[in-house]
């Protein structure tokens, strides 16, 4: 299937992937390429967007793309650095701004361009993030809009379909950002909106077929949305050549291993369940430092995974369900100017001696997009709605050292909480929830007996990406019922508290 394509040239902005995401939300296909690697088939792209950048067009390090075949020849939108680039190198002038230009501002039209500003009202909130400012417009520049602090906030070039904006339409805080991108891409560049999760599936499957041929691929399933969607995509592409391994590290939720394994088998996946609980719990014995726990789990995982992968002959690839937010601190997922990619794999990366090539079909997607792709693959809605669960599992929810008895107590507490959320129709309103076993014993009274038992904390947060989060205002009646159930049913617990801390300054997990 051929789609109209948009080229996003990446100058290293933290927001470049967000531009791609907004474009995809418009059902338009886009590709991100480093600013200095303009595709040779540039004629196939219907529009070009220049991203922002941490660099200055005035500095020695200014990134200088060759726009010869682009500017004036096809619709071009410069964002922030992109806008400054268009100004600075085509007859205008950019200099250091005198005032702070970060955060909220409001658009005020100088010349309302009915197409570019279609459906956008005077005063619309936009988000700024820049130190340089455009002092003089480029040759043939026409000022379109200003904000309180920024005179040249939006301009176009006469006769060309070149537009430039100092603010960031891709961030959520620019209220009409998506509308503005739609105006540029659909009304000005006349791009068809035909790129959907279905077409992502279709294209990814055919690309994976080509990339993997008859090679064998091994994939570690976690029970979570990402690895499941990655597995189904690969399964559709290479069928029985996909070997899935699902490891029980003994730190999963209650009955999770059995239930999820059965679900996977039901989906037709070639999956091997490996119960390595004892190995993990041995590796964790006596460790109470959170980072040491994570490392011990990571090492044990690699050992188990390596053992299992070796049993499959001639495996060439390791597939991972990495999604875009996992690629943290990355300026560019595509090898752009500051391509320091720190991949956050649950297992902390695999050793080089395994000698496997990596395939990551979901690397460019955000979580909600993965869910949409999952729905297009007809994956059970229950799996797609599953809350995120950390790779080290309950190990980082048992504060202090870990014993099988503590795991079992926490599994019981967690099951009552999570099942309760489902029964009360609260599960889908919460982004992530779980229970934490505190290293605290407190006095209680049960019957006529004095008890001295454990305390658990319940945590439920709302979030969009886990980067920031707030606690959820769960109904008191619900908390009352769950607290009663936990204390009455779970031996060894006599006190329940609810965590009312936001992130920041707290984190979602307690360790
Ligand atoms: P924090 O605690 O940093 O958590 O606010 C943010 C999100 O990340 C998850 N998390 C982890 N996930 N390995 C993972 O795979 C880890 O070591 C880890 N630590 C935290 C956490 O559950 C939340 O969704």
């Amino acid at each position: 299937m051929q789609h109209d394509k948009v080229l996003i040239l990446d100058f290293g902005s933290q927001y470049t992937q967000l531009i791609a995401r907004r474009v995809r939300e418009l059902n338009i296909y886009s590709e991100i390429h480093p600013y200095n690697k303009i595709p040779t088939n540039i004629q196939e792209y219907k529009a070009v967007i220049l991203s922002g950048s941490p660099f200055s067009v005035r500095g020695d390090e200014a990134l200088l793309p060759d726009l010869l075949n682009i500017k004036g020849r096809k619709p071009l939108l410069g964002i922030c650095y992109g806008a400054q680039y268009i100004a600075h190198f085509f007859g205008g002038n950019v200099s250091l701004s005198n005032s702070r230009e970060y955060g909220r501002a409001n658009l005020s039209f100088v010349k309302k361009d009915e197409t570019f500003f279609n459906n956008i009202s005077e005063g619309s909130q936009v988000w700024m993030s820049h130190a340089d400012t455009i002092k003089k417009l480029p040759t043939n520049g026409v000022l379109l809009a200003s904000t309180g602090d920024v005179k040249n906030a939006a301009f176009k070039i006469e006769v060309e379909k070149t537009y430039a904006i100092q603010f960031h339409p891709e961030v959520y805080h620019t209220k009409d950002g998506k509308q503005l991108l739609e105006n540029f891409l659909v009304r000005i560049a006349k791009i068809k909106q035909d790129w959907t999760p279905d077409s992502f599936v279709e294209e990814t499957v055919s690309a994976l077929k080509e990339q993997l041929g008859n090679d064998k691929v091994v994939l570690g399933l976690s029970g979570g949305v990402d690895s499941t969607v990655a597995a189904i995509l690969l399964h559709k592409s290479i069928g029985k050549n996909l070997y899935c391994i699902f490891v029980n590290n003994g730190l999963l939720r209650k009955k999770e291993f059995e239930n999820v394994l059965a679900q996977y088998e039901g989906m037709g996946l070639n999956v091997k369940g490996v119960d390595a609980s004892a190995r993990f719990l041995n590796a964790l014995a006596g460790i109470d430092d959170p980072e040491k726990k994570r490392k011990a789990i990571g090492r044990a995982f690699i050992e188990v995974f390596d053992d299992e992968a070796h049993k499959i002959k001639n495996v060439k690839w390791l597939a991972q369900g990495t999604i875009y937010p996992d690629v943290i601190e990355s300026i560019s997922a595509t090898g752009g100017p500051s391509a320091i990619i720190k991949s956050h794999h649950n297992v902390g990366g695999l050793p080089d001696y395994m000698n496997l090539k990596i395939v990551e079909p979901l690397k460019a997607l955000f979580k909600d997009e993965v869910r949409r792709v999952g729905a297009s693959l007809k994956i059970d809605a229950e799996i797609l709605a599953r809350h995120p669960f950390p790779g080290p599992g309950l190990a980082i929810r048992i504060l202090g050292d870990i014993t099988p008895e503590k795991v079992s107590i926490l599994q019981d507490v967690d099951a009552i909480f999570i099942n309760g959320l489902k029964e009360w129709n609260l599960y889908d309103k919460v982004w992530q929830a779980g229970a934490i076993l505190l290293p605290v014993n407190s006095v209680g009274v049960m019957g006529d007996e004095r008890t001295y038992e454990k305390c658990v904390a319940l945590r439920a947060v709302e979030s969009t990406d886990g980067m920031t989060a707030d606690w959820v205002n769960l109904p008191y009646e619900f908390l009352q019922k769950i607290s009663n159930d936990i204390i009455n049913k779970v031996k060894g617990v006599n006190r329940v508290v609810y965590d009312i801390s936001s992130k920041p300054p707290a984190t979602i997990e307690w360790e």
Side-chain angles (χ1 to χ4, degrees):
M1 195 167 167
Q2 279 300 317
H3 301 284
D4 286 350
K5 290 197 286 196
V6 176
L7 172 64
I8 300 169
L9 283 184
D10 179 24
F11 293 87
S13 165
Q14 295 281 359
Y15 300 136
T16 305
Q17 280 288 333
L18 271 186
I19 305 176
R21 176 203 177 114
R22 293 282 169 261
V23 174
R24 280 202 296 269
E25 280 175 1
L26 295 167
N27 291 338
I28 291 174
Y29 179 77
S30 69
E31 287 174 9
I32 300 176
H33 290 256
Y35 75 98
N36 55 354
K37 293 195 182 130
I38 296 176
T40 47
N41 58 343
I42 183 71
Q43 69 286 354
E44 290 175 19
Y45 295 83
K46 298 266 293 203
V48 179
I49 299 177
L50 310 179
S51 83
S53 174
F55 298 102
S56 162
V57 290
R58 300 173 297 110
D60 296 339
E61 296 166 317
L63 310 175
L64 310 175
D66 177 3
L67 298 184
L68 190 68
N69 292 321
I70 296 175
K71 188 178 164 296
R73 297 184 177 222
K74 54 180 70 221
L76 173 66
L77 175 66
I79 296 174
C80 195
Y81 177 97
Q84 294 171 1
Y85 187 88
I86 292 169
H88 198 66
F89 291 100
F90 295 91
N93 181 258
V94 170
S95 65
L96 189 65
S97 165
N98 299 327
S99 57
R100 256 173 74 90
E101 292 180 357
Y102 292 93
R104 188 173 286 115
N106 298 89
L107 271 190
S108 154
F109 299 125
V110 176
K111 175 179 186 331
K112 181 150 186 194
D113 181 309
E114 295 299 337
T115 323
F116 192 55
F117 289 129
N118 168 56
N119 237 340
I120 300 177
S121 324
E122 175 83 14
S124 181
Q125 179 181 302
V126 296
W127 204 255
M128 294 285 188
S129 178
H130 60 113
D132 278 356
T133 199
I134 298 166
K135 282 276 159 47
K136 179 172 163 259
L137 294 185
T139 312
N140 295 332
V142 180
L143 182 61
L144 301 179
S146 305
T147 65
D149 288 327
V150 180
K151 179 167 174 253
N152 297 316
F155 65 89
K156 71 173 177 186
I157 309 274
E158 206 127 49
V159 193
E160 298 180 8
K161 287 186 176 174
T162 299
Y163 288 78
I165 46 182
Q166 183 57 72
F167 53 90
H168 289 270
E170 67 277 23
V171 306
Y172 173 75
H173 286 94
T174 293
K175 294 281 181 261
D176 294 314
K178 193 167 153 189
Q179 177 72 55
L180 193 108
L181 287 170
E182 180 173 345
N183 293 343
F184 172 69
L185 294 171
V186 180
R187 295 183 167 246
I188 292 165
K190 311 260 183 258
I191 291 178
K192 289 199 289 291
Q193 293 172 280
D194 61 0
W195 194 74
T196 57
D198 286 347
S199 60
F200 173 85
V201 169
E202 199 178 310
E203 281 152 22
T204 307
V205 166
S206 84
L208 287 171
K209 275 185 180 154
E210 186 154 327
Q211 184 182 14
L212 302 171
N214 267 327
D215 291 351
K216 288 186 185 170
V217 178
V218 65
L219 176 141
L221 281 168
S222 71
V225 178
D226 308 336
S227 67
T228 307
V229 172
I232 297 294
L233 265 177
L234 282 152
H235 180 70
K236 238 176 131 67
S237 315
I238 58 168
K240 63 177 175 25
N241 272 343
L242 174 69
Y243 293 78
C244 300
I245 297 171
F246 180 37
V247 178
N248 183 4
N249 57 12
L251 300 155
L252 301 175
R253 298 197 133 114
K254 193 174 180 177
K255 300 229 165 48
E256 178 111 319
F257 183 60
E258 298 80 354
N259 293 345
V260 172
L261 193 56
Q263 243 167 351
Y264 282 143
E265 283 161 354
M267 290 183 215
L269 288 176
N270 175 7
V271 53
K272 178 166 182 197
V274 181
D275 190 351
S277 312
R279 189 163 178 170
F280 280 85
L281 291 177
N282 278 338
L284 283 166
I287 302 181
D288 57 10
D289 176 81
E291 282 314 301
K292 289 188 181 143
K293 285 183 192 175
R294 282 187 171 84
K295 294 225 165 69
I297 292 170
R299 272 194 304 273
F301 187 89
I302 288 166
E303 286 164 19
V304 174
F305 197 82
D306 194 22
D307 285 355
E308 293 303 322
H310 267 104
K311 293 180 192 160
I312 311 159
K313 296 275 170 284
N314 294 325
V315 182
K316 293 241 167 57
W317 297 85
L318 171 72
Q320 294 188 316
T322 317
I323 64 170
Y324 184 66
D326 298 333
V327 186
I328 40 175
E329 290 179 359
S330 77
I331 301 291
S332 159
T334 55
S338 312
I340 324 154
I341 299 176
K342 185 171 127 197
S343 281
H344 162 106
H345 306 304
N346 286 345
V347 297
L350 289 173
D352 291 344
Y353 65 76
M354 285 185 72
N355 214 2
L356 295 173
K357 290 186 274 186
I358 306 280
V359 52
E360 296 173 311
L362 308 176
K363 199 173 161 175
L365 302 188
F366 287 82
K367 194 98 184 173
D368 57 317
E369 296 176 316
V370 175
R371 292 198 166 108
R372 277 163 59 203
V373 167
S376 151
L377 286 164
K378 310 257 179 318
I379 294 175
D380 197 347
E382 192 201 316
I383 296 182
L384 298 179
R386 211 172 263 161
H387 289 172
F389 187 68
L394 299 181
I396 55 168
R397 293 185 181 168
I398 295 173
L399 307 198
D401 70 324
I402 292 161
T403 62
E405 186 212 359
K406 289 183 188 172
V407 173
S408 161
I409 290 178
L410 187 57
Q411 281 178 331
D412 287 343
V413 171
D414 178 81
I416 292 173
F417 184 35
I418 299 297
N419 292 338
L421 285 171
K422 288 181 180 162
E423 279 159 27
W424 285 59
N425 278 332
L426 293 165
Y427 186 83
D428 291 335
K429 300 191 177 96
V430 169
W431 191 77
Q432 185 174 18
I436 299 99
L437 187 66
L438 306 185
V440 172
N441 278 27
S442 75
V443 173
V445 53
M446 286 188 186
D448 291 331
E449 296 284 313
R450 174 189 187 276
T451 60
Y452 189 57
E453 292 181 331
K454 297 212 159 359
C455 173
V456 292
L458 305 181
R459 181 100 167 114
V461 296
E462 45 196 34
S463 177
T464 46
D465 49 19
M467 303 292 284
T468 54
D470 207 355
W471 60 280
V472 181
N473 206 336
L474 292 174
Y476 282 176
E477 298 73 25
F478 170 76
L479 290 170
Q480 188 177 37
K481 167 88 170 76
I482 293 302
S483 162
N484 260 338
D485 281 358
I486 290 172
I487 293 172
N488 286 332
K489 292 181 185 158
V490 186
K491 208 162 162 285
V493 175
N494 69 355
R495 197 174 291 267
V496 176
V497 297
Y498 186 52
D499 183 351
I500 52 169
S501 328
S502 64
K503 173 184 180 175
T507 50
I508 296 177
E509 304 296 345
W510 281 43
E511 284 198 334

